[in-house]
Amino acid sequence: MTLTLAWPQSTPVRWVHTTGRLHDDSKVERSLRSLKDRNIKLEEGGPVYSPTVDAEPMRRTIRQRVIDEVKHYYHGFRLLWMDTTIAVRMLWRVLNGHILSRRERRQFLRTCADVFRLLPFLVFIIVPFMEFLLPVALKLFPNMLPSTFETHCLSLSLSHTHTHCLCVAQEERLKKELRVKLEMAKFLQDTIEEIALRNKAAKGNVTEEFSTFFQKIRDSGERPSNEEIIRFSKLFEDELTLDNLTRPQLVALCKLLELQSIGTNNFLRFQLIMKLRAIRADDKLIAEEGVDSLNVNELQAACRVRGMRALGVTEERLREQLKQWLELHLNQHIPTSLLLLSRAMFLPDTLSPADQLKTTLQNLPEIVTKEAQVKVAELDFSKVDNKTKLEATLQEEAAIQQENRERELERLEAEVVELEAERQVDAEHALSSVDVAIHSETLRDTAPVLEGIKGEEITKEEIDMLSDACTKLKEQKNLLTKEKEELEDLKDDVQEYSEDLEEIKRELSKTGQEKVVEESKASQLLSKRVNRMIGRMDKIITELEKDKIVLDGQMDSETTPPIGENLISINELIAVMKQIQNIPEHKLLSIADALDENKDGKIDIDDVLKVVELIDKEDIDISTNQVAEIMVMLQKEEKLLEKEKAKEKVEKEQAAKIQN
C-alpha cells in the first residue's frame, strides 16, 4: 500500500520581529545603563547632565489651561487614528505575504506600542482575539507563511495509511501554529519593552532640552558641554542613522570602509549594516584580548577597517587611536555609525572626540533628530507629548512612502534593462541567421568587463530557492532545533526584562525615586499573555517530538538521522537545489562554497537559514563573497553570545552566593 506523506516546511513566518540579541539592546536595557552611569557619576562626584526643572512653574490662566487640554486631546486623537491606520495597513501587508522593510517594521512596532499605551484595555481584546483566530488566519491568508510551507508529497510504503495521514496533517498544523505563535510572542515582547515604564511624576521637559542642544550646535554656534554631546550622541542608533542618511553620505561611508559604492541605496545600507555588525563583534574580541596583544600589522588592519589612519603613523599612535575608539564605542556606547561618519568627514586629528561628534551631529538629516528627540524622553522615563510623537510618526511615514517609490522605480528600471538585453539577444540571433554574401571583418568588443560585484552574483530568487532547499532538508531530518533555540532566546529575553526592571527599581531607590517610575499597565498585561504563549509553545514542541518518536519507530531507521543533527553535506544541498530550479553547476558550487565557512564540506542548516533571513528582508542581489563574510560574522557573533551567557551565569551564581 502506498502512502502519500505530507511534507510541511518550517522557514520563518513573514512577520515583523527583528530583534538581534547580541547587537541591539532593548529600550529597557539602555534606560538601565543610562541610570547606572548617572548614579556612578553621582557617587564619584563627577559632572552629571540632567534636564532642568523649573523651581516655580509658570502659572497658567484658566483660558490657557483649557486651550492646552484641547490641544492635548486633539493631537492625542490624531495620533491614535494615525497609529491605528498604519498598524492595520502593515498587518494587512504581513497577512498577504509582503515582507516589511526595516523602516516599516520599526514603524509598525512603534504604532502598536502607542495604541497599547493609549488604550491598555485593548490587550484584553486584541491579543486573545489574534490567538483565537490564528487557525482561521492561516486558512484565509496562506501567503502569511512563505511558499516553503506549502505541502509537498513523498510516497512511502507504510501500513495504517489513514492513521498516518491524520498524524502528518496534525503535525503540519502544529508546526504552522508554532511558527506563527513564536513570531507573535517575540513581537509582543518587543512591544512590551517599548512601553515598559511610565513616570507618575512631572519631570523636566527633556524634548525641549534636546531641541535647545541642537539649536546650540546648528544655529547659535554655542558649544554644548561634553556631557551633553556624549549623552545625546548615544541616541542615534546605527539602523536609525543609516536608514536616513543621504546617498552622498552612504557612498562616502562605503568608500571609507572599502565597500562597493555602486548600487541602490538599499544595497549600500545593507552592506554598511553588515560591516557595522562585524566591527562591533570585532571590537568586543579586541577588548577581551587587549589592544596591547596586537602586533603592528594587526593594529594597522584594525585601524584601517574603522576608517582611521593606518599608514605613516607610529605604533604608539595606532594603539592610542584604537583604544580611544573602543572607549567611545564599548564604554561610552557611542554608535559605530556616528564614529565612522566623523572619520568620513576627514576632520582634523587635533579635534577632541566630543568636537568630532558635535560636527557629525550637525550634518545629520532633520528626520534623524526628530526620532532621537522622542527616544531621549523615553529613555529618561519622561512623557513625550502627543504632538511630538505625531510629528515623528508623520515624518517617518513620509520617508516610508518615498522609500517605496524609490524601490518601485528601481524595479521598473531593472525590468527595462532586462527587456533591452532580451531584445539585443534576439537581434543578434536574427543577424546571425542571415547569409551575408560578402565576408566582412567581424567586429568584436575587446574592452575589459568591469566587475561591479566581487564573486558570483546571487539574485533574490536564488536566495529564496536556497531557503526552500534548506527547509526541505530540515524537514527530511525532522528538526525543530531552530524553533527550540528561538523559544529559549525568547525565554531569556523575558527573564532579562524582569531582571532589568528589578535592577532599575534598585537604582532608582538610591535617589529616592523608586515610587516615581513604575511598570505600565499595558506591559504588565502583555507580559502575562506572552508567558501563557510560551507555555503553549512548550506543549506544542513536546507534542511534535512525541509524534516524531512514534513516526520514527514506524519508518526505516536509516532514513531518519539523530535528533539535533543540523549538519548537512554540500552535495546534499546541491542535490536539493537542483530539484527546485535549474541553475548552472558552477553557480551551485559557488553558493555552497560561500556557505561552507571552515571548508570541511559540511554546513549547518540553521546558520544558512539565519543568513537567508538577513538577506531576505532586503530587496537586493548579493555576491557569494558577501555571503561568506556574513557567515563568518554570524559565527563570530555566536561565539561572543556563548561567552556572554557563560559570563552572566557565573555572575548570577556569585551574586546568589553573596545573598546566601
Side-chain angles (χ1 to χ4, degrees), residues 272 373 642 654:
L272 289 168
Q373 186 178 10
E642 288 175 7
Q654 289 176 347

Side-chain angles (χ1 to χ4, degrees), residues 256-377:
L256 179 75
L257 297 174
E258 300 178 0
L259 299 172
Q260 180 186 327
S261 57
I262 300 172
T264 64
N265 290 349
N266 209 33
F267 175 73
L268 299 185
R269 288 191 188 101
F270 178 75
Q271 279 191 129
L272 289 168
I273 287 173
M274 293 299 103
K275 189 67 174 179
L276 264 54
R277 283 181 62 171
I279 290 174
R280 196 177 296 118
D282 200 39
D283 282 353
K284 292 185 178 182
L285 289 174
I286 292 174
E288 187 179 340
E289 296 171 2
V291 176
D292 295 332
S293 66
L294 304 180
N295 58 38
V296 176
N297 291 335
E298 290 170 335
L299 284 170
Q300 288 178 330
C303 290
R304 185 179 176 183
V305 164
R306 288 157 181 79
M308 298 183 286
R309 285 185 63 187
L311 300 175
V313 292
T314 63
E315 181 181 345
E316 183 182 355
R317 173 63 181 161
L318 290 172
R319 293 190 192 279
E320 182 185 337
Q321 62 184 14
L322 186 55
K323 285 179 179 178
Q324 186 185 79
W325 171 284
L326 295 177
E327 169 64 25
L328 289 170
H329 183 206
L330 299 181
N331 297 335
Q332 298 291 341
H333 305 289
I334 305 298
T336 319
S337 53
L338 282 191
L339 295 175
L340 289 172
L341 274 172
S342 66
R343 271 77 181 168
M345 294 170 67
F346 298 105
L347 300 173
D349 292 337
T350 52
L351 280 180
S352 67
D355 285 326
Q356 289 181 3
L357 288 171
K358 179 178 81 72
T359 308
T360 306
L361 293 176
Q362 286 175 332
N363 291 277
L364 289 178
E366 185 64 31
I367 186 172
V368 188
T369 61
K370 182 62 70 175
E371 288 283 340
Q373 186 178 10
V374 175
K375 283 183 179 297
V376 67

Side-chain angles (χ1 to χ4, degrees), residues 116 119-129 195 521-527 529:
F116 284 131
L119 302 171
F121 69 87
L122 286 179
V123 175
F124 291 112
I125 302 171
I126 293 177
V127 180
F129 188 70
I195 59 175
K521 189 70 176 174
S523 64
Q524 291 177 26
L525 297 172
L526 281 174
S527 294
R529 180 59 59 177

Side-chain angles (χ1 to χ4, degrees), residues 322-583:
L322 186 55
K323 285 179 179 178
Q324 186 185 79
W325 171 284
L326 295 177
E327 169 64 25
L328 289 170
H329 183 206
L330 299 181
N331 297 335
Q332 298 291 341
H333 305 289
I334 305 298
T336 319
S337 53
L338 282 191
L339 295 175
L340 289 172
L341 274 172
S342 66
R343 271 77 181 168
M345 294 170 67
F346 298 105
L347 300 173
D349 292 337
T350 52
L351 280 180
S352 67
D355 285 326
Q356 289 181 3
L357 288 171
K358 179 178 81 72
T359 308
T360 306
L361 293 176
Q362 286 175 332
N363 291 277
L364 289 178
E366 185 64 31
I367 186 172
V368 188
T369 61
K370 182 62 70 175
E371 288 283 340
Q373 186 178 10
V374 175
K375 283 183 179 297
V376 67
E378 291 174 343
L379 294 180
D380 203 60
F381 310 122
S382 297
K383 295 178 181 177
V384 186
D385 63 280
N386 293 331
K387 184 181 179 182
T388 304
K389 279 188 178 182
L390 181 62
E391 288 173 354
T393 302
L394 291 172
Q395 207 169 33
E396 187 71 4
E397 192 63 15
I400 289 171
Q401 299 300 330
Q402 178 63 27
E403 189 179 82
N404 289 338
R405 284 193 293 270
E406 288 176 1
R407 287 188 176 184
E408 184 63 22
L409 185 62
E410 289 166 1
R411 187 184 64 79
L412 292 173
E413 288 174 353
E415 286 180 0
V416 170
V417 170
E418 190 177 344
L419 285 172
E420 287 295 328
E422 288 177 2
R423 286 174 186 171
Q424 188 175 356
V425 170
D426 292 341
E428 288 174 358
H429 282 309
L431 287 172
S432 63
S433 63
V434 177
D435 293 327
V436 182
I438 301 172
H439 297 284
S440 59
E441 182 183 356
T442 303
L443 296 177
R444 294 182 180 179
D445 184 6
T446 57
V449 178
L450 296 176
E451 291 187 2
I453 300 178
K454 295 179 181 178
E456 190 92 30
E457 184 178 351
I458 308 175
T459 65
K460 195 172 187 304
E461 290 72 24
E462 288 165 347
I463 288 293
D464 291 339
M465 177 270 300
L466 177 62
S467 175
D468 289 356
C470 287
T471 48
K472 283 186 176 182
L473 283 167
K474 192 171 178 181
E475 279 303 319
Q476 281 181 335
K477 296 174 180 287
N478 219 352
L479 299 175
L480 286 171
T481 50
K482 190 167 186 295
E483 287 76 9
K484 286 181 182 178
E485 182 184 341
E486 289 184 14
L487 184 56
E488 286 303 315
D489 287 344
L490 176 60
K491 289 178 181 178
D492 289 343
D493 285 343
V494 172
Q495 180 65 25
E496 286 172 13
Y497 169 74
S498 301
E499 292 172 358
D500 287 341
L501 285 184
E502 291 300 319
E503 206 163 348
I504 284 174
K505 289 178 183 177
R506 286 197 295 270
E507 292 294 327
L508 288 170
S509 66
K510 295 178 181 178
T511 53
Q513 293 181 307
E514 66 274 14
K515 294 183 179 179
V516 173
V517 178
E518 67 176 12
E519 187 178 6
S520 67
K521 189 70 176 174
S523 64
Q524 291 177 26
L525 297 172
L526 281 174
S527 294
K528 291 177 182 177
R529 180 59 59 177
V530 168
N531 284 324
R532 287 178 193 168
M533 293 175 75
I534 288 173
R536 171 62 183 153
M537 285 185 283
D538 275 329
K539 291 179 181 177
I540 292 175
I541 288 177
T542 304
E543 192 172 344
L544 285 170
E545 288 182 335
K546 285 180 181 177
D547 290 344
K548 173 180 167 48
I549 292 170
V550 172
L551 191 61
D552 286 350
Q554 295 166 342
M555 296 172 68
D556 185 2
S557 59
E558 294 181 2
T559 62
T560 307
I563 297 175
E565 180 60 56
N566 284 349
L567 295 179
I568 57 170
S569 68
I570 286 179
N571 293 333
E572 282 182 276
L573 180 63
I574 291 175
V576 176
M577 289 166 77
K578 282 181 179 178
Q579 294 174 8
I580 299 173
Q581 191 173 335
N582 186 19
I583 297 177

